[in-house]
Amino acid sequence: MPSLSYVAAVNRALRDEMARDERVCVLGEDVSQGITGLTKGLADVYGTGRVVDMPLSEQAFTSLATGAAIAGQRPVVEFQIPSLLYLVFEQIANQAHKFSLMTGGQASVPVTYLFPGSGSRSGMAGQHSDHPYSLLAHVGIKTAVPATPSDAYGLLLSAIREPDPVAVFAPTLLMGASEEIDDGDLEAVPLGSARVCREGTDVTVVAVGHLVPIALQVAAALAGEASIEVIDPRTVYPVDWETLGKSITRTGRLVVIDDSNRMCGFGSEIAATAVEEFGLTVPPVRLSRPDGAVIPYALNLDHALLPDAGGLVGAIRAVLR
Amino acid sequence: MRLIREFEEHCLEKALTGTIVGGIHPYIGQEAVAVGVSAHLRTDDVITSTHRGHGHVLAKGADPKRALAELYGASTGLNRGRGGSMHAADVGLGIYGANGIVGAGAPIAVGAAWAARRAGHDDRVAVAFFGDGALSQGVVLEAFNMAALWSLPVLFVCENNGYATSLPVDRGLAGDPVRRAAGFGLTAAAVDGMDVEAVAEAAGRAVAACRAGAGPHFLECATYRFHGHHTVEHLMGTKYRDDDEVAGARARDPLTRQRARLAPEAADAVDAEIAALIAEAEAFASSSPGSDPRDALDYLYAGTVPARPGA
């Protein structure tokens, strides 16, 4: 079976949607060169009028996409690093997101924001290592963090087709991932649909993005000790509460691992809802970055702040006791 | 201009007596800019506006009845009561909305112009209205750069009313606006923004040039707002302009100047027509139903998201 890489899957999704829908265009820095790999070759096929290199003006081109979307286009905006979200939060959270409600539904803003290279990039230090999807979930921006190449393809397709703004985070640690899959099997993945990656009966592990394969490795390693169900929510907003609720109610135990800062992070929301609604038999455990973490440069300090397999093993054992 | 003036006088009264919650940013004194520019715009042209948006919205053709109903929070309003004064929009008329963030509309207008070109509507123009304060916003300067780079049909209209809220322009802005815009490659000019004929002439040239593919233009309109930045200034007693300055501006009232150019009967007929329109708008707005609180988050998404209640 052919192998599809994560980067190639995103690239393929863009290529296919541009072929399917003339309104889809790609805007961002270095997109004609495809420096991140995601947009590589698209300009050769669709031209630089549709794969448009932007000046280093993130705020203006984010809102340019808003205006273009209201006027009928379907822009995909690529940001070179996820921390640029802080620069364009006004344009996404305060303009694009609010347009539909503020105008009483006169129009919406079908823009896709693509954040490649999210999360720690090992040595990229404070301003290039964030994974800020919880911020967008808090605001109410539909936000996907695909964990596999086929999900990257399928969620990006849905994001582009969605009538509202949608953010897609492509974590650094998955960019090199590959999956055995036929191109013909690739399909759109609905936003708000979680994936049960491994079935189990003793404990539910909810993992996001690059932590999904780590959770699966841990579940396999602990198979002799416990039956672990691993769920990938795939979109952190909206959340597939039905799938999560069924699993957590059945197992009665929850560990959630995500690469947000702890305070007001995605894991906090999953844990709080589980406590309120899903009948846990023991308190849930959250694994995350520390409160307010800024990733230091030195590699051992960088890694020290990230949730990892060792922590997950300890957390699972703690809820099983 | 008479419609905007009367609409705003009516809104001022209703804001100060509490019918309009949240207050308004009065446009009174600046009417010549919205009217002079919009005289050259078609329905399929796009505008983005400011906090002080009533004039632009009405000049572009929005229904005054629905505009007033919006300020009353009624379900019949332009935005179904979800936008209010600072977000009034009529997307079908190319009005992409007033905006509560200074300068935020400029790149949205650039996007609309870019989209029009992509869709093959080369003669469609986008106009970004903003105040002198917005010239200190980076995003506006980024928008200048991008419009000029791609020679897009955008007219940037700077309504220089002398104050960014309470900050006098000479304490907030280095250099000259026209030269600043020209530095980005925009064709830039200044005009008396208190004279509707002068604005119309300059805007007419700029809009025609934009339609003809001559690239983005910038028009600085020297104008003045007769009232405070926001109606809360009336309530707070805020005062940062001396009476002589305001009186001097009122002596150049664009409505008075234009009236002098018209036959008295024609001007009287306009007054009567507008008075009837405002009475009709008040009757419509004040008798319009509100919305059901259970529907407060309607229109949050075009697609469906099952939002959980907060409490």
Side-chain angles (χ1 to χ4, degrees):
Chain A
M1 195 174 277
S3 175
L4 180 71
S5 78
Y6 197 95
V7 170
V10 171
N11 186 271
R12 175 71 191 275
L14 292 171
R15 199 176 290 255
D16 287 356
E17 278 305 278
M18 292 182 83
R20 195 186 68 84
D21 185 346
E22 168 65 24
R23 300 169 303 169
V24 177
C25 44
V26 174
L27 314 174
E29 289 150 351
D30 311 305
V31 290
S32 75
Q33 294 297 320
I35 298 275
T36 62
L38 303 189
T39 63
K40 204 166 185 59
L42 296 178
D44 298 335
V45 181
Y46 297 108
T48 51
R50 231 177 132 188
V51 181
V52 190
D53 285 328
M54 291 285 153
L56 305 191
S57 302
E58 291 86 4
Q59 295 180 318
F61 70 66
T62 302
S63 272
L64 179 147
T66 299
I70 297 168
Q73 300 296 321
R74 293 255 166 178
V76 178
V77 183
E78 191 200 32
F79 297 94
Q80 300 298 299
I81 56 168
S83 301
L84 291 174
L85 174 60
Y86 305 133
L87 200 57
V88 300
F89 210 62
E90 202 293 303
Q91 287 73 24
I92 294 177
N94 208 31
Q95 302 288 338
H97 171 57
K98 293 182 179 176
F99 192 81
S100 178
L101 184 133
M102 291 196 305
T103 60
Q106 291 179 55
S108 64
V109 181
V111 178
T112 302
Y113 310 106
L114 193 49
F115 293 97
S118 198
S120 162
R121 300 205 270 185
S122 295
M124 295 297 270
Q127 292 174 344
H128 279 46
S129 302
D130 286 358
H131 208 347
Y133 51 83
S134 288
L135 288 177
L136 292 182
H138 181 74
V139 171
I141 310 287
K142 298 172 185 179
T143 300
V145 192
T148 66
S150 53
D151 275 359
Y153 178 90
L155 289 164
L156 183 53
L157 235 58
S158 294
I160 296 170
R161 294 174 186 177
E162 189 73 8
D164 295 306
V166 183
V168 178
F169 285 83
T172 305
L173 292 172
L174 290 172
M175 297 289 265
S178 283
E179 187 180 1
E180 304 296 312
I181 187 164
D182 275 325
D183 279 3
D185 294 335
L186 291 169
E187 56 187 13
V189 173
L191 304 179
S193 65
R195 183 168 60 99
V196 179
C197 309
R198 176 192 174 99
E199 294 186 349
T201 54
D202 296 333
V203 55
T204 301
V205 172
V206 175
V208 177
H210 64 275
L211 296 167
V212 173
I214 291 172
L216 285 169
Q217 287 161 18
V218 167
L222 296 184
E225 281 181 52
S227 168
I228 297 167
E229 183 143 303
V230 177
I231 298 186
D232 170 11
R234 299 203 281 204
T235 52
V236 295
Y237 193 81
V239 177
D240 181 356
W241 292 115
E242 192 181 339
T243 300
L244 265 59
K246 273 185 192 157
S247 172
I248 296 165
T249 301
R250 186 161 42 78
T251 62
R253 297 182 182 86
L254 169 68
V255 174
V256 53
I257 178 166
D258 88 309
D259 198 20
S260 295
N261 289 352
R262 187 176 183 89
M263 172 66 84
C264 297
F266 177 72
S268 311
E269 183 57 41
I270 300 298
T273 300
V275 168
E276 284 179 335
E277 300 179 19
F278 299 150
L280 290 173
T281 53
V282 295
V285 176
R286 275 180 287 162
L287 293 166
S288 65
R289 297 185 184 188
D291 283 350
V294 175
I295 299 300
Y297 166 69
L299 214 49
N300 62 330
L301 304 182
D302 173 327
H303 292 170
L305 298 186
L306 304 177
D308 61 10
L312 183 57
V313 169
I316 290 170
R317 286 183 172 146
V319 298
L320 284 169
R321 268 201 294 274
Chain B
M1 285 199 292
R2 177 59 69 190
L3 171 63
I4 298 170
R5 175 66 57 90
E6 294 300 316
F7 184 89
E8 291 253 301
E9 297 280 8
H10 190 77
C11 289
L12 256 181
E13 179 196 328
K14 296 297 179 184
L16 294 173
T17 54
T19 304
I20 292 175
V21 295
I24 61 165
H25 299 81
Y27 193 64
I28 291 168
Q30 302 185 202
E31 297 91 341
V33 182
V35 171
V37 172
S38 298
H40 301 284
L41 300 182
R42 309 186 310 225
T43 301
D44 63 346
D45 293 325
V46 165
I47 66 165
T48 60
S49 174
T50 67
H51 292 64
R52 208 174 304 293
H54 302 171
H56 309 130
V57 170
L58 291 171
K60 187 69 168 52
D63 179 352
K65 295 196 299 295
R66 295 188 58 215
L68 190 62
E70 181 59 29
L71 303 185
Y72 284 21
S75 58
T76 55
L78 287 174
N79 307 27
R80 299 187 169 96
R82 267 71 176 179
S85 176
M86 264 191 292
H87 309 301
D90 191 328
V91 175
L93 295 176
I95 303 164
Y96 283 15
N99 205 305
I101 300 297
V102 172
I108 295 175
V110 173
W114 181 80
R117 175 179 289 176
R118 259 221 79 204
H121 306 298
D122 285 343
D123 66 344
R124 196 175 282 178
V125 170
V127 177
F129 290 100
F130 48 82
D132 46 282
L135 288 173
S136 300
Q137 291 280 8
V139 73
V140 172
L141 307 180
E142 293 179 16
F144 286 178
N145 182 53
M146 295 166 82
L149 268 176
W150 302 325
S151 195
L152 291 169
V154 183
L155 171 58
F156 296 98
V157 178
C158 176
E159 298 184 283
N160 187 349
N161 65 17
Y163 293 88
T165 308
S166 69
L167 185 71
V169 65
D170 60 3
R171 286 174 54 202
L173 191 69
D176 171 70
V178 169
R179 290 177 60 193
R180 184 181 289 199
F184 282 94
L186 276 59
T187 305
V191 68
D192 178 0
M194 303 290 272
D195 180 348
V196 71
E197 301 281 356
V199 175
E201 191 194 338
R205 276 197 304 270
V207 169
C210 282
R211 287 201 206 287
H217 283 58
F218 175 92
L219 195 57
E220 181 196 9
C221 303
T223 184
Y224 200 84
R225 57 173 155 80
F226 295 168
H227 291 270
H229 167 69
H230 182 261
T231 40
V232 76
E233 286 183 17
H234 287 257
L235 305 170
M236 301 280 289
T238 310
K239 189 171 162 73
Y240 45 86
R241 314 182 293 188
D242 65 41
D243 294 341
D244 287 349
E245 180 183 310
V246 179
R250 281 187 177 275
R252 296 185 293 117
D253 187 329
L255 272 76
T256 311
R257 289 167 78 179
Q258 190 61 11
R259 191 180 194 92
R261 293 175 177 139
L262 301 177
E265 306 76 38
D268 290 345
V270 170
D271 288 351
E273 184 190 340
I274 298 305
L277 272 179
I278 298 298
E280 190 187 355
E282 170 60 24
F284 176 81
S286 58
S287 65
S288 285
S291 295
D292 188 328
R294 286 174 299 188
D295 301 334
L297 280 184
D298 277 8
Y299 315 114
L300 178 56
Y301 298 101
T304 308
V305 171
R308 297 177 299 160

